[in-house]
Amino acid sequence: MIKAKTAAIIFIGLILSSLAFATSNDGDFTLNVYERHVSIQLEELDASDKCLKLRVKNGGETVQTIEYRYSQESLENAVFVESRYELSDVNFDGHDDLLIYLGSYGSQGVVYKDCFLWNAAASLFERCEAFKSIPNPVVDTQGGFICGSARRNAGHHVFELWSWSGVNLRNDCRIHKVHSAEQLPSLYGMEVPSGEDAGEYALGYFGIELKFYDSVFYVKENLCEGVATFEPPICSDMDSESAEYMEIGSFLEK
């Protein structure tokens, strides 16, 4: 039997909101970040729909030139408005890293970004391939992790939690938010017996009362060590407060 658990409202807007971009318009654009822990300058040398060329300076000295070429797949499937890039500390080491906007995709306009981490010892940016897999990435500096979010359909939202293990970025878990128990069997790969209602079967399997059939359910999908495991669903109406969202931090503490 699934026990009632206390839920708390979180600021989903933090997860769904996008970060501010340093964008280029006409002519060369220089971004100075002297107020941060390192002094980095980015000078835009060229920007087109196929390439973004940046000169990286540290203390006034040119230390690297990045010639970023967008993949053909991105050019064909994404919506590009202008070349965009930003500096943000995404791995929490006190140094700004470079994020390059890859466009938005699909009817939901999901944004992806490529990432170059600042190597202070070598005084240059190094590519982090895994970062561009995060949908709508938002860096949580207080929690020390990166949130991703996407919508699979009108009744199924997915929140991803990414963290750093040394220099490696890993997808720790996904939290699925589904509207009604009818969608639970597909998440867990259940085979619903012929003639039975999918939602009722799932609720019976987990020992949840039928009155919660049309509630919002949260399912945690653990992805550590490459093995996906699912925890029993938690219903937002199974507590006295009937909060709309589960606190993501409560999942991380398990």
Side-chain angles (χ1 to χ4, degrees):
M1 175 69 68
I2 304 298
K3 296 182 178 179
K5 297 191 176 181
T6 301
I9 297 177
I10 63 170
F11 296 104
I12 293 298
L14 173 65
I15 300 175
L16 300 179
S17 63
S18 60
L19 297 172
F21 287 109
T23 62
S24 61
N25 295 305
D26 297 329
D28 290 345
F29 178 84
T30 302
L31 179 61
N32 299 296
V33 198
Y34 291 109
E35 70 275 12
R36 297 299 295 270
H37 299 276
V38 294
S39 172
I40 301 173
Q41 291 176 282
L42 293 179
E43 291 183 358
E44 185 174 302
L45 305 178
D46 178 56
S48 66
D49 59 352
K50 296 182 180 180
C51 177
L52 175 64
K53 192 172 184 179
L54 300 171
R55 179 188 288 128
V56 183
K57 291 185 176 181
N58 189 7
E61 177 185 357
T62 299
V63 294
Q64 185 181 16
T65 298
I66 297 176
E67 187 170 335
Y68 187 87
R69 295 192 174 276
Y70 299 102
S71 68
Q72 189 62 36
E73 181 181 358
S74 294
L75 295 174
E76 293 174 351
N77 299 326
V79 178
F80 282 88
V81 179
E82 57 188 339
S83 299
R84 297 183 183 182
Y85 50 90
E86 64 181 300
L87 289 172
S88 177
D89 183 6
V90 302
N91 61 349
F92 318 110
D93 66 350
H95 301 295
D96 283 307
D97 308 300
L98 172 64
L99 298 178
I100 296 177
Y101 173 73
L102 298 180
S104 56
Y105 296 76
S107 60
Q108 304 303 317
V110 179
V111 171
Y112 290 92
K113 303 173 188 178
D114 210 342
C115 176
F116 291 78
L117 299 176
W118 178 253
N119 184 328
S123 291
L124 51 79
F125 287 106
E126 297 177 338
R127 186 108 173 248
C128 176
E129 186 72 22
F131 195 96
K132 67 180 183 179
S133 299
I134 307 176
N136 294 321
V138 173
V139 179
D140 187 323
T141 54
Q142 292 185 339
F145 56 88
I146 301 169
C147 296
S149 63
R151 195 180 85 167
R152 295 190 177 179
N153 56 56
H156 186 177
H157 297 254
V158 181
F159 303 97
E160 298 185 356
L161 299 179
W162 294 68
S163 67
W164 295 93
S165 178
V167 297
N168 298 314
L169 181 62
R170 67 184 186 187
N171 188 358
D172 292 322
C173 70
R174 298 188 187 100
I175 297 175
H176 299 263
K177 174 188 173 185
V178 297
H179 298 74
S180 91
E182 188 176 14
Q183 300 180 65
L184 294 176
S186 61
L187 275 177
Y188 289 94
M190 295 179 179
E191 292 188 10
V192 181
S194 177
E196 289 202 32
D197 180 87
E200 292 183 2
Y201 177 81
L203 292 179
Y205 180 87
F206 291 111
I208 301 175
E209 297 178 59
L210 291 179
K211 68 179 182 179
F212 296 123
Y213 190 101
D214 292 322
S215 299
V216 174
F217 291 87
Y218 296 85
V219 176
K220 182 183 177 185
E221 178 185 4
N222 296 295
L223 300 170
C224 295
E225 300 179 357
V227 179
T229 59
F230 285 87
E231 293 188 359
I234 297 176
C235 172
S236 63
D237 293 328
M238 291 170 61
D239 69 287
S240 57
E241 298 178 2
S242 298
E244 183 178 359
Y245 298 109
M246 294 300 301
E247 183 179 11
I248 286 184
S250 67
F251 288 98
L252 296 176
E253 293 170 359
K254 296 181 179 180

